[in-house]
Coordinates of all heavy atoms in Angstrom, one line a residue:
M6 N 0.8 -1.2 0.0 CA 0.0 0.0 0.0 C 0.9 1.2 0.0 O 0.5 2.2 -0.6 CB -0.9 -0.1 1.2 CG -2.1 0.9 1.1 SD -3.2 0.4 -0.1 CE -4.5 1.4 0.2
T7 N 2.0 1.2 0.8 CA 2.8 2.4 0.7 C 3.5 2.6 -0.6 O 3.9 3.8 -0.9 CB 3.9 2.3 1.9 OG1 4.6 1.2 1.7 CG2 3.2 2.3 3.2
E8 N 3.8 1.6 -1.3 CA 4.4 1.7 -2.7 C 3.5 2.5 -3.6 O 3.9 3.4 -4.4 CB 4.7 0.4 -3.2 CG 5.8 -0.3 -2.5 CD 6.2 -1.7 -3.1 OE1 5.7 -1.9 -4.3 OE2 6.8 -2.4 -2.4
Q9 N 2.2 2.3 -3.5 CA 1.2 3.0 -4.3 C 1.2 4.5 -4.0 O 1.1 5.3 -4.8 CB -0.1 2.4 -4.2 CG -0.3 1.0 -4.9 CD -1.7 0.4 -4.7 OE1 -2.5 0.9 -3.9 NE2 -1.9 -0.7 -5.4
R10 N 1.2 4.7 -2.7 CA 1.2 6.1 -2.2 C 2.5 6.8 -2.7 O 2.4 8.0 -3.1 CB 1.0 6.2 -0.7 CG -0.3 5.9 -0.2 CD -0.4 6.1 1.3 NE -1.7 5.6 1.8 CZ -2.0 5.5 3.0 NH1 -1.1 5.8 3.9 NH2 -3.1 5.1 3.4
T11 N 3.6 6.2 -2.6 CA 4.9 6.8 -3.0 C 4.9 7.0 -4.5 O 5.3 8.1 -4.9 CB 6.0 5.8 -2.6 OG1 6.0 5.6 -1.2 CG2 7.4 6.5 -3.0
A12 N 4.3 6.1 -5.3 CA 4.3 6.3 -6.7 C 3.3 7.4 -7.1 O 3.7 8.2 -8.0 CB 3.9 5.0 -7.4
G13 N 2.2 7.5 -6.4 CA 1.3 8.6 -6.6 C 1.8 9.9 -6.3 O 1.7 10.9 -7.0
A14 N 2.6 10.0 -5.2 CA 3.2 11.3 -4.8 C 4.3 11.7 -5.7 O 4.4 12.8 -6.1 CB 3.7 11.1 -3.3
T15 N 5.1 10.7 -6.2 CA 6.1 11.0 -7.1 C 5.5 11.5 -8.4 O 6.0 12.5 -9.0 CB 7.0 9.7 -7.4 OG1 7.5 9.3 -6.2 CG2 8.1 10.1 -8.3
L16 N 4.5 10.9 -8.9 CA 3.8 11.3 -10.1 C 3.2 12.7 -10.0 O 3.3 13.6 -10.9 CB 2.7 10.3 -10.6 CG 2.0 10.6 -11.9 CD1 3.1 10.6 -13.0 CD2 1.0 9.6 -12.1
S17 N 2.7 13.0 -8.8 CA 2.2 14.4 -8.5 C 3.3 15.4 -8.5 O 3.1 16.5 -9.1 CB 1.5 14.3 -7.2 OG 1.1 15.6 -6.8
H18 N 4.5 15.1 -8.0 CA 5.6 16.0 -8.0 C 6.1 16.2 -9.4 O 6.4 17.4 -9.7 CB 6.6 15.5 -7.0 CG 6.3 15.6 -5.6 ND1 5.9 16.7 -5.0 CD2 6.3 14.6 -4.7 CE1 5.6 16.5 -3.7 NE2 5.9 15.2 -3.5
V19 N 6.1 15.2 -10.2 CA 6.6 15.3 -11.5 C 5.6 16.2 -12.3 O 6.1 17.1 -13.2 CB 6.8 13.9 -12.2 CG1 7.0 14.1 -13.7 CG2 7.9 13.2 -11.6
A20 N 4.3 16.0 -12.2 CA 3.3 16.9 -12.9 C 3.5 18.3 -12.5 O 3.4 19.2 -13.3 CB 1.9 16.3 -12.6
T21 N 3.7 18.6 -11.2 CA 3.9 20.0 -10.7 C 5.1 20.6 -11.3 O 5.1 21.7 -11.7 CB 3.9 20.0 -9.2 OG1 2.7 19.5 -8.7 CG2 4.0 21.4 -8.7
A22 N 6.2 19.8 -11.4 CA 7.4 20.3 -12.0 C 7.3 20.6 -13.4 O 7.8 21.6 -14.0 CB 8.6 19.3 -11.7
V23 N 6.6 19.8 -14.2 CA 6.3 20.0 -15.6 C 5.5 21.2 -15.8 O 5.8 22.1 -16.6 CB 5.7 18.8 -16.2 CG1 5.2 19.1 -17.6 CG2 6.7 17.6 -16.3
W24 N 4.5 21.4 -15.0 CA 3.6 22.6 -15.0 C 4.4 23.8 -14.8 O 4.3 24.8 -15.5 CB 2.5 22.5 -14.0 CG 1.3 23.1 -14.3 CD1 1.1 24.4 -14.8 CD2 -0.1 22.6 -14.3 NE1 -0.2 24.7 -15.1 CE2 -1.0 23.6 -14.7 CE3 -0.6 21.4 -13.8 CZ2 -2.3 23.4 -14.8 CZ3 -2.0 21.2 -13.9 CH2 -2.8 22.3 -14.3
G25 N 5.3 23.8 -13.8 CA 6.1 25.0 -13.5 C 7.1 25.2 -14.6 O 7.3 26.5 -14.9
T26 N 7.6 24.2 -15.2 CA 8.6 24.4 -16.3 C 7.9 25.1 -17.5 O 8.5 25.9 -18.1 CB 9.2 23.1 -16.7 OG1 9.8 22.5 -15.5 CG2 10.2 23.2 -17.8
V27 N 6.7 24.6 -17.8 CA 6.0 25.2 -18.9 C 5.7 26.7 -18.6 O 5.9 27.5 -19.5 CB 4.6 24.4 -19.1 CG1 3.7 25.2 -20.1 CG2 5.0 23.1 -19.7
L28 N 5.3 27.0 -17.4 CA 5.0 28.4 -17.0 C 6.3 29.3 -17.2 O 6.2 30.4 -17.6 CB 4.4 28.5 -15.7 CG 2.9 28.2 -15.6 CD1 2.4 28.2 -14.2 CD2 2.2 29.1 -16.4
V29 N 7.4 28.7 -16.7 CA 8.6 29.5 -16.7 C 9.0 29.7 -18.2 O 9.5 30.8 -18.6 CB 9.8 28.8 -16.0 CG1 11.1 29.4 -16.3 CG2 9.5 28.8 -14.5
G30 N 8.8 28.7 -19.1 CA 9.0 28.9 -20.5 C 8.1 30.0 -21.1 O 8.6 30.8 -21.9
L31 N 6.8 30.0 -20.7 CA 5.9 31.0 -21.3 C 6.4 32.4 -20.8 O 6.3 33.4 -21.5 CB 4.5 30.6 -20.8 CG 3.8 29.6 -21.6 CD1 2.5 29.2 -20.9 CD2 3.6 29.9 -23.0
H32 N 6.8 32.5 -19.5 CA 7.2 33.8 -19.0 C 8.5 34.3 -19.7 O 8.7 35.5 -19.9 CB 7.4 33.7 -17.5 CG 6.1 33.5 -16.7 ND1 5.0 34.1 -17.0 CD2 5.9 32.7 -15.6 CE1 4.0 33.7 -16.1 NE2 4.7 32.8 -15.3
A33 N 9.3 33.3 -20.1 CA 10.6 33.7 -20.7 C 10.3 34.3 -22.1 O 10.9 35.3 -22.5 CB 11.5 32.5 -20.8
V34 N 9.3 33.6 -22.8 CA 8.9 34.1 -24.1 C 8.3 35.5 -24.1 O 8.7 36.4 -24.8 CB 8.1 33.1 -24.9 CG1 7.5 33.6 -26.1 CG2 8.9 31.8 -25.2
A35 N 7.4 35.6 -23.1 CA 6.7 36.9 -23.0 C 7.7 38.0 -22.5 O 7.6 39.1 -22.9 CB 5.6 36.8 -21.9
G36 N 8.7 37.6 -21.6 CA 9.7 38.6 -21.2 C 10.6 39.0 -22.3 O 11.0 40.1 -22.4
F37 N 10.8 38.1 -23.3 CA 11.6 38.5 -24.5 C 10.9 39.6 -25.3 O 11.4 40.6 -25.7 CB 11.8 37.3 -25.4 CG 12.4 37.5 -26.7 CD1 13.7 37.9 -26.8 CD2 11.6 37.6 -27.9 CE1 14.2 38.2 -28.1 CE2 12.1 37.9 -29.1 CZ 13.4 38.1 -29.2
F38 N 9.5 39.4 -25.5 CA 8.8 40.4 -26.2 C 8.7 41.7 -25.5 O 8.8 42.8 -26.1 CB 7.4 39.8 -26.5 CG 7.4 38.7 -27.6 CD1 6.7 37.6 -27.3 CD2 8.0 38.9 -28.8 CE1 6.6 36.6 -28.3 CE2 8.0 37.8 -29.7 CZ 7.3 36.8 -29.5
V39 N 8.4 41.6 -24.2 CA 8.3 42.8 -23.4 C 9.6 43.5 -23.3 O 9.7 44.8 -23.4 CB 7.8 42.5 -22.0 CG1 7.8 43.7 -21.1 CG2 6.3 42.0 -22.0
L40 N 10.7 42.8 -23.1 CA 12.0 43.5 -23.2 C 12.4 44.2 -24.5 O 12.9 45.3 -24.5 CB 13.1 42.5 -22.9 CG 14.5 43.0 -22.8 CD1 14.7 43.9 -21.6 CD2 15.5 41.9 -22.6
N41 N 11.9 43.6 -25.6 CA 12.1 44.2 -26.9 C 11.2 45.5 -27.0 O 11.7 46.5 -27.6 CB 11.7 43.2 -28.0 CG 12.9 42.4 -28.4 OD1 14.0 42.7 -28.2 ND2 12.6 41.1 -28.8
A42 N 10.1 45.4 -26.4 CA 9.2 46.6 -26.4 C 9.9 47.7 -25.6 O 9.8 48.8 -26.0 CB 7.8 46.2 -25.9
L43 N 10.5 47.4 -24.5 CA 11.2 48.3 -23.6 C 12.4 48.9 -24.3 O 12.7 50.1 -24.1 CB 11.5 47.8 -22.3 CG 10.4 47.4 -21.3 CD1 10.9 46.7 -20.2 CD2 9.7 48.8 -20.9
L44 N 13.1 48.1 -25.0 CA 14.4 48.6 -25.6 C 14.3 49.2 -26.9 O 15.3 49.8 -27.4 CB 15.4 47.4 -25.6 CG 15.8 46.8 -24.4 CD1 16.7 45.6 -24.6 CD2 16.5 47.7 -23.5
T45 N 13.1 49.3 -27.5 CA 12.9 49.8 -28.9 C 12.8 51.4 -28.6 O 12.0 51.9 -27.9 CB 11.6 49.3 -29.5 OG1 11.8 47.9 -29.7 CG2 11.5 49.9 -30.9
E46 N 13.7 52.1 -29.4 CA 13.7 53.6 -29.3 C 13.6 54.1 -30.7 O 14.0 53.5 -31.7 CB 15.0 54.0 -28.6 CG 15.0 53.7 -27.1 CD 16.3 54.2 -26.5 OE1 17.1 54.9 -27.1 OE2 16.5 53.9 -25.3
S47 N 13.2 55.3 -30.8 CA 13.1 56.0 -32.1 C 14.5 56.4 -32.5 O 15.3 56.9 -31.7 CB 12.3 57.2 -32.0 OG 12.2 57.9 -33.2
E48 N 14.8 56.2 -33.8 CA 16.1 56.6 -34.3 C 16.2 58.1 -34.7 O 17.2 58.7 -35.0 CB 16.5 55.8 -35.5 CG 16.7 54.3 -35.1 CD 17.1 53.4 -36.2 OE1 17.3 54.0 -37.3 OE2 17.1 52.3 -36.0
G49 N 15.0 58.7 -34.7 CA 14.9 60.1 -35.2 C 13.5 60.4 -35.7 O 12.6 59.6 -35.6
P50 N 13.3 61.7 -36.1 CA 12.0 62.1 -36.5 C 11.5 61.4 -37.8 O 10.3 61.4 -38.0 CB 12.1 63.6 -36.8 CG 13.5 63.9 -36.9 CD 14.3 62.8 -36.1
W51 N 12.4 60.7 -38.5 CA 12.0 60.0 -39.8 C 11.5 58.6 -39.4 O 11.0 57.9 -40.3 CB 13.2 60.0 -40.7 CG 14.3 59.2 -40.1 CD1 14.6 57.9 -40.2 CD2 15.4 59.8 -39.4 NE1 15.7 57.6 -39.5 CE2 16.3 58.8 -39.0 CE3 15.7 61.1 -39.0 CZ2 17.4 59.0 -38.2 CZ3 16.9 61.3 -38.2 CH2 17.7 60.3 -37.9
D52 N 11.8 58.1 -38.2 CA 11.4 56.8 -37.9 C 9.9 56.6 -37.5 O 9.5 57.0 -36.4 CB 12.3 56.3 -36.6 CG 12.1 54.9 -36.4 OD1 11.5 54.1 -37.2 OD2 12.7 54.4 -35.3
R53 N 9.1 56.2 -38.5 CA 7.7 56.1 -38.3 C 7.2 54.8 -37.8 O 6.1 54.6 -37.5 CB 7.0 56.4 -39.7 CG 7.3 57.8 -40.2 CD 6.3 58.8 -39.8 NE 6.6 60.0 -40.5 CZ 6.8 61.1 -39.8 NH1 6.9 61.1 -38.5 NH2 7.1 62.3 -40.4
T54 N 8.1 53.8 -37.8 CA 7.6 52.4 -37.4 C 7.9 52.1 -36.0 O 7.5 51.0 -35.5 CB 8.4 51.4 -38.3 OG1 9.8 51.5 -38.0 CG2 8.1 51.6 -39.7
V55 N 8.4 53.0 -35.2 CA 8.8 52.7 -33.8 C 7.6 52.5 -33.0 O 7.5 51.5 -32.1 CB 9.7 53.8 -33.2 CG1 8.9 55.1 -33.1 CG2 10.2 53.3 -31.8
T56 N 6.6 53.3 -33.1 CA 5.3 53.1 -32.3 C 4.6 51.7 -32.7 O 4.2 51.0 -31.7 CB 4.3 54.2 -32.6 OG1 4.9 55.4 -32.4 CG2 3.0 54.1 -31.7
G57 N 4.6 51.4 -33.9 CA 4.0 50.1 -34.2 C 4.8 48.9 -33.8 O 4.3 47.9 -33.3
T58 N 6.2 49.1 -33.8 CA 7.0 48.0 -33.3 C 6.8 47.8 -31.8 O 6.7 46.6 -31.3 CB 8.5 48.3 -33.6 OG1 8.6 48.5 -35.1 CG2 9.4 47.2 -33.1
V59 N 6.7 48.8 -31.1 CA 6.6 48.8 -29.6 C 5.2 48.1 -29.3 O 5.1 47.2 -28.4 CB 6.7 50.1 -29.0 CG1 6.3 50.1 -27.5 CG2 8.2 50.6 -29.0
R60 N 4.2 48.6 -30.0 CA 2.9 48.0 -29.7 C 2.8 46.6 -30.1 O 2.1 45.8 -29.5 CB 1.8 48.9 -30.3 CG 1.7 50.2 -29.6 CD 0.6 51.0 -30.1 NE 0.6 52.3 -29.3 CZ 0.1 53.4 -29.7 NH1 -0.4 53.5 -31.0 NH2 0.1 54.5 -28.9
L61 N 3.5 46.2 -31.2 CA 3.4 44.8 -31.7 C 4.1 43.9 -30.6 O 3.6 42.9 -30.2 CB 4.1 44.6 -33.0 CG 4.3 43.2 -33.5 CD1 3.0 42.6 -33.8 CD2 5.2 43.2 -34.7
M62 N 5.3 44.3 -30.1 CA 6.0 43.6 -29.2 C 5.2 43.4 -27.8 O 5.2 42.4 -27.2 CB 7.4 44.1 -28.9 CG 8.4 43.9 -30.1 SD 8.7 42.2 -30.3 CE 8.8 42.2 -32.0
G63 N 4.7 44.5 -27.4 CA 3.9 44.5 -26.2 C 2.6 43.6 -26.4 O 2.3 42.9 -25.4
G64 N 2.0 43.7 -27.5 CA 0.9 42.8 -27.8 C 1.2 41.4 -27.8 O 0.4 40.5 -27.3
L65 N 2.3 41.0 -28.4 CA 2.8 39.6 -28.4 C 3.0 39.2 -26.9 O 2.7 38.1 -26.6 CB 4.0 39.4 -29.3 CG 3.7 39.6 -30.8 CD1 5.0 39.6 -31.5 CD2 2.8 38.4 -31.3
G66 N 3.7 40.1 -26.2 CA 3.9 39.7 -24.8 C 2.6 39.5 -24.0 O 2.6 38.6 -23.2
L67 N 1.7 40.3 -24.2 CA 0.3 40.2 -23.6 C -0.3 38.9 -24.0 O -0.9 38.2 -23.2 CB -0.5 41.4 -24.0 CG -0.3 42.6 -23.2 CD1 -1.2 43.8 -23.7 CD2 -0.5 42.4 -21.7
A68 N -0.3 38.5 -25.3 CA -0.9 37.3 -25.8 C -0.3 36.0 -25.1 O -1.0 35.2 -24.7 CB -0.7 37.2 -27.3
V69 N 1.1 36.1 -25.0 CA 1.7 34.9 -24.4 C 1.4 34.9 -22.9 O 1.2 33.8 -22.3 CB 3.3 35.0 -24.5 CG1 4.0 33.9 -23.8 CG2 3.6 34.8 -26.1
E70 N 1.3 36.1 -22.2 CA 1.0 36.1 -20.8 C -0.5 35.7 -20.6 O -0.7 35.2 -19.5 CB 1.3 37.4 -20.3 CG 2.7 37.6 -19.9 CD 3.2 36.5 -18.9 OE1 2.6 36.3 -17.9 OE2 4.3 36.0 -19.2
L71 N -1.4 35.9 -21.5 CA -2.7 35.4 -21.3 C -2.8 33.9 -21.3 O -3.5 33.3 -20.6 CB -3.6 36.0 -22.5 CG -4.0 37.5 -22.2 CD1 -4.8 37.9 -23.4 CD2 -4.6 37.8 -20.9
L72 N -2.0 33.3 -22.2 CA -1.8 31.9 -22.1 C -1.3 31.4 -20.8 O -1.7 30.4 -20.2 CB -0.9 31.3 -23.2 CG -1.5 31.4 -24.6 CD1 -0.4 31.1 -25.7 CD2 -2.7 30.5 -24.8
A73 N -0.2 32.1 -20.3 CA 0.3 31.8 -19.0 C -0.6 32.0 -17.9 O -0.7 31.2 -16.9 CB 1.6 32.7 -18.7
L74 N -1.5 33.0 -18.0 CA -2.5 33.3 -17.0 C -3.5 32.1 -16.9 O -3.9 31.7 -15.8 CB -3.2 34.6 -17.3 CG -4.4 34.9 -16.3 CD1 -3.9 35.2 -14.9 CD2 -5.1 36.2 -16.8
A75 N -3.9 31.7 -18.1 CA -4.9 30.5 -18.1 C -4.2 29.3 -17.5 O -4.9 28.5 -16.7 CB -5.3 30.3 -19.6
A76 N -3.0 29.0 -17.8 CA -2.3 27.9 -17.3 C -2.1 28.0 -15.7 O -2.2 27.0 -15.0 CB -0.9 27.7 -18.0
T77 N -1.8 29.2 -15.3 CA -1.6 29.5 -13.9 C -2.9 29.3 -13.2 O -2.9 28.6 -12.1 CB -1.1 30.9 -13.7 OG1 0.2 31.0 -14.4 CG2 -0.8 31.2 -12.2
A78 N -4.0 29.8 -13.7 CA -5.3 29.6 -13.1 C -5.7 28.2 -13.0 O -6.1 27.7 -11.9 CB -6.4 30.4 -13.8
A79 N -5.4 27.4 -14.0 CA -5.7 26.0 -14.0 C -4.9 25.3 -12.9 O -5.4 24.4 -12.2 CB -5.5 25.4 -15.3
G80 N -3.6 25.6 -12.9 CA -2.7 25.0 -11.9 C -3.1 25.3 -10.4 O -3.0 24.5 -9.5
V81 N -3.5 26.7 -10.2 CA -3.9 27.1 -8.9 C -5.1 26.3 -8.4 O -5.3 26.0 -7.3 CB -3.9 28.6 -8.8 CG1 -4.6 29.1 -7.5 CG2 -2.5 29.2 -8.9
N82 N -6.1 26.3 -9.4 CA -7.4 25.8 -9.1 C -7.3 24.2 -8.8 O -8.2 23.7 -8.0 CB -8.4 26.1 -10.2 CG -8.8 27.5 -10.2 OD1 -8.7 28.2 -9.1 ND2 -9.3 28.0 -11.3
T83 N -6.4 23.6 -9.4 CA -6.3 22.2 -9.2 C -5.4 21.9 -8.0 O -5.3 20.7 -7.6 CB -5.6 21.4 -10.4 OG1 -4.4 22.0 -10.7 CG2 -6.5 21.5 -11.6
G84 N -4.8 22.9 -7.4 CA -4.0 22.7 -6.2 C -2.5 22.3 -6.5 O -1.7 22.1 -5.5
R85 N -2.1 22.3 -7.7 CA -0.7 22.0 -8.1 C 0.2 23.2 -7.9 O 1.4 23.0 -7.5 CB -0.6 21.6 -9.6 CG -1.4 20.3 -9.9 CD -0.5 19.3 -10.6 NE -1.2 18.2 -10.9 CZ -1.2 17.1 -10.2 NH1 -0.4 16.9 -9.2 NH2 -1.9 16.0 -10.6
L86 N -0.3 24.3 -8.0 CA 0.6 25.6 -7.9 C 0.1 26.5 -6.8 O -1.2 26.4 -6.5 CB 0.6 26.3 -9.2 CG 1.1 25.6 -10.5 CD1 1.0 26.4 -11.7 CD2 2.6 25.2 -10.2
R87 N 0.9 27.3 -6.2 CA 0.5 28.2 -5.3 C 0.1 29.6 -5.9 O 0.5 29.8 -7.1 CB 1.7 28.4 -4.3 CG 2.2 27.2 -3.7 CD 2.0 27.2 -2.2 NE 2.2 26.0 -1.6 CZ 3.1 25.8 -0.7 NH1 3.8 26.8 -0.2 NH2 3.3 24.6 -0.2
R88 N -0.5 30.5 -5.1 CA -1.0 31.7 -5.7 C 0.1 32.7 -6.2 O -0.1 33.6 -6.9 CB -1.9 32.4 -4.7 CG -3.2 31.7 -4.5 CD -4.0 32.4 -3.4 NE -5.1 31.6 -3.1 CZ -6.3 31.9 -3.4 NH1 -6.6 33.0 -4.1 NH2 -7.4 31.1 -3.1
W89 N 1.3 32.5 -5.6 CA 2.4 33.5 -6.0 C 2.8 33.3 -7.5 O 3.4 34.3 -8.0 CB 3.6 33.2 -5.1 CG 4.3 32.0 -5.3 CD1 4.2 30.9 -4.5 CD2 5.4 31.7 -6.3 NE1 5.0 29.8 -5.0 CE2 5.8 30.4 -6.0 CE3 6.0 32.4 -7.3 CZ2 6.8 29.7 -6.8 CZ3 7.0 31.8 -8.1 CH2 7.3 30.5 -7.8
W90 N 2.3 32.3 -8.1 CA 2.6 32.2 -9.6 C 1.9 33.2 -10.3 O 2.2 33.4 -11.6 CB 2.2 30.8 -10.1 CG 3.2 29.7 -9.7 CD1 3.3 28.9 -8.6 CD2 4.3 29.3 -10.5 NE1 4.3 28.1 -8.7 CE2 5.0 28.3 -9.8 CE3 4.8 29.7 -11.7 CZ2 6.2 27.7 -10.3 CZ3 6.0 29.2 -12.2 CH2 6.7 28.2 -11.5
Y91 N 0.9 33.9 -9.8 CA 0.2 35.0 -10.5 C 1.1 36.3 -10.5 O 0.9 37.1 -11.3 CB -1.0 35.4 -9.8 CG -2.2 34.4 -9.9 CD1 -2.8 33.7 -8.9 CD2 -2.7 34.1 -11.2 CE1 -3.8 32.8 -9.1 CE2 -3.8 33.3 -11.4 CZ -4.3 32.6 -10.4 OH -5.3 31.8 -10.5
A92 N 2.1 36.3 -9.6 CA 3.0 37.6 -9.6 C 3.7 37.8 -10.9 O 3.7 38.9 -11.4 CB 3.9 37.4 -8.4
P93 N 4.4 36.9 -11.5 CA 5.1 37.1 -12.8 C 4.1 37.5 -13.9 O 4.4 38.4 -14.7 CB 5.8 35.8 -13.1 CG 5.8 35.0 -11.9 CD 4.7 35.5 -11.1
V94 N 2.9 36.9 -13.9 CA 1.9 37.3 -14.9 C 1.5 38.7 -14.7 O 1.5 39.5 -15.7 CB 0.7 36.4 -14.8 CG1 -0.4 36.8 -15.7 CG2 1.1 34.9 -15.0
A95 N 1.2 39.1 -13.5 CA 0.8 40.5 -13.3 C 1.9 41.5 -13.6 O 1.6 42.5 -14.2 CB 0.4 40.6 -11.8
A96 N 3.1 41.2 -13.2 CA 4.3 42.1 -13.5 C 4.4 42.3 -15.0 O 4.5 43.4 -15.5 CB 5.5 41.6 -12.9
L97 N 4.5 41.2 -15.8 CA 4.7 41.3 -17.2 C 3.6 42.0 -17.9 O 3.8 42.7 -18.9 CB 5.1 39.9 -17.8 CG 6.4 39.4 -17.5 CD1 6.6 38.0 -17.9 CD2 7.5 40.3 -18.2
V98 N 2.3 41.7 -17.6 CA 1.2 42.3 -18.1 C 1.2 43.8 -17.8 O 1.0 44.6 -18.8 CB -0.1 41.6 -17.7 CG1 -1.3 42.5 -18.0 CG2 -0.3 40.3 -18.3
L99 N 1.5 44.2 -16.7 CA 1.5 45.6 -16.3 C 2.6 46.3 -17.1 O 2.3 47.4 -17.7 CB 1.7 45.8 -14.8 CG 1.7 47.2 -14.3 CD1 0.4 47.8 -14.5 CD2 2.1 47.2 -12.9
I100 N 3.8 45.8 -17.2 CA 4.9 46.4 -17.9 C 4.5 46.6 -19.4 O 4.8 47.6 -20.0 CB 6.2 45.6 -17.7 CG1 6.7 45.7 -16.3 CG2 7.3 46.1 -18.6 CD1 7.8 44.8 -15.9
A101 N 4.0 45.5 -19.9 CA 3.6 45.5 -21.4 C 2.5 46.6 -21.6 O 2.6 47.3 -22.6 CB 3.2 44.2 -21.9
L102 N 1.6 46.7 -20.8 CA 0.5 47.7 -21.0 C 1.0 49.1 -20.9 O 0.7 50.0 -21.7 CB -0.7 47.4 -20.0 CG -1.6 46.2 -20.3 CD1 -2.6 46.1 -19.2 CD2 -2.3 46.5 -21.6
V103 N 1.8 49.3 -19.9 CA 2.3 50.6 -19.7 C 3.3 51.1 -20.9 O 3.2 52.2 -21.4 CB 3.2 50.7 -18.3 CG1 4.0 52.0 -18.3 CG2 2.2 50.7 -17.2
R104 N 4.1 50.1 -21.3 CA 4.9 50.4 -22.5 C 4.1 50.7 -23.8 O 4.4 51.5 -24.6 CB 5.9 49.3 -22.7 CG 6.9 49.6 -23.8 CD 7.7 50.9 -23.6 NE 8.7 51.0 -24.6 CZ 9.3 52.1 -25.0 NH1 9.1 53.2 -24.2 NH2 10.2 52.3 -25.9
M105 N 3.0 49.9 -24.0 CA 2.2 50.1 -25.1 C 1.5 51.5 -25.1 O 1.4 52.2 -26.1 CB 1.2 49.0 -25.2 CG 1.8 47.6 -25.7 SD 0.6 46.3 -25.6 CE -0.6 46.8 -26.8
V106 N 1.1 51.9 -23.9 CA 0.3 53.2 -23.7 C 1.3 54.3 -24.0 O 1.0 55.3 -24.7 CB -0.3 53.2 -22.4 CG1 -0.8 54.7 -22.1 CG2 -1.5 52.3 -22.3
F107 N 2.5 54.2 -23.4 CA 3.5 55.3 -23.5 C 4.6 54.9 -24.6 O 5.7 55.2 -24.5 CB 4.2 55.5 -22.2 CG 3.3 56.0 -21.1 CD1 2.9 55.2 -20.1 CD2 2.7 57.3 -21.3 CE1 2.0 55.6 -19.2 CE2 1.8 57.7 -20.3 CZ 1.5 56.9 -19.2
A108 N 4.1 54.4 -25.8 CA 5.0 54.1 -26.8 C 5.6 55.4 -27.4 O 4.9 56.4 -27.5 CB 4.3 53.4 -28.0
P109 N 6.8 55.4 -27.8 CA 7.5 56.6 -28.4 C 6.7 57.0 -29.7 O 6.4 56.3 -30.5 CB 8.9 56.2 -28.6 CG 8.9 54.8 -28.7 CD 7.8 54.2 -27.9
Q110 N 6.6 58.4 -29.7 CA 5.9 58.9 -31.0 C 7.1 59.6 -31.8 O 8.0 60.3 -31.3 CB 4.9 60.0 -30.6 CG 3.8 59.5 -29.8 CD 2.9 58.5 -30.6 OE1 2.7 58.7 -31.8 NE2 2.4 57.5 -29.9
P111 N 7.1 59.3 -33.1 CA 8.2 59.9 -33.9 C 8.0 61.3 -34.1 O 6.9 61.9 -33.9 CB 8.0 59.2 -35.2 CG 6.7 58.6 -35.2 CD 6.2 58.4 -33.8

């Protein structure tokens, strides 16, 4: 009987680790897009594409973070993840939204 409990506990820990790994990967991809949005600057008054680029990168970051939010909510509701997993989602979404709103104007 204890072998079954041990196997079930091990499987549960593996599933939680896989879930966490997927979320970290999604946050890394979203972080890449948000970082590109933050680092994009206008080269001068002739640069008309800077606003579109910043908003595109911010939007892609938001899209990936919405997937991460859904995965986080599912993980928290099933009891596999703790509530602190919402913190990276909230931070990246907030940064992306602020950068999109305050995108540089040529």
Side-chain angles (χ1 to χ4, degrees):
M6 195 70 166
T7 59
E8 290 178 18
Q9 289 177 347
R10 287 184 186 172
T11 306
T15 303
L16 185 60
S17 175
H18 291 305
V19 169
T21 302
V23 168
W24 210 313
T26 304
V27 168
L28 281 175
V29 167
L31 286 172
H32 294 318
V34 171
F37 171 77
F38 289 131
V39 172
L40 183 64
N41 277 329
L43 288 171
L44 296 178
T45 301
E46 294 181 5
S47 179
E48 294 179 9
W51 61 88
D52 189 7
R53 302 264 185 243
T54 62
V55 67
T56 305
T58 302
V59 167
R60 290 187 177 152
L61 174 68
M62 289 293 143
L65 289 172
L67 282 175
V69 174
E70 277 305 309
L71 288 178
L72 290 173
L74 177 63
T77 302
V81 169
N82 287 336
T83 59
R85 296 231 182 259
L86 301 175
R87 303 241 172 124
R88 291 180 189 249
W89 68 264
W90 281 92
Y91 286 118
V94 175
L97 285 170
V98 165
L99 182 65
I100 293 168
L102 284 174
V103 167
R104 182 59 177 165
M105 287 172 64
V106 168
F107 297 109
Q110 298 294 326

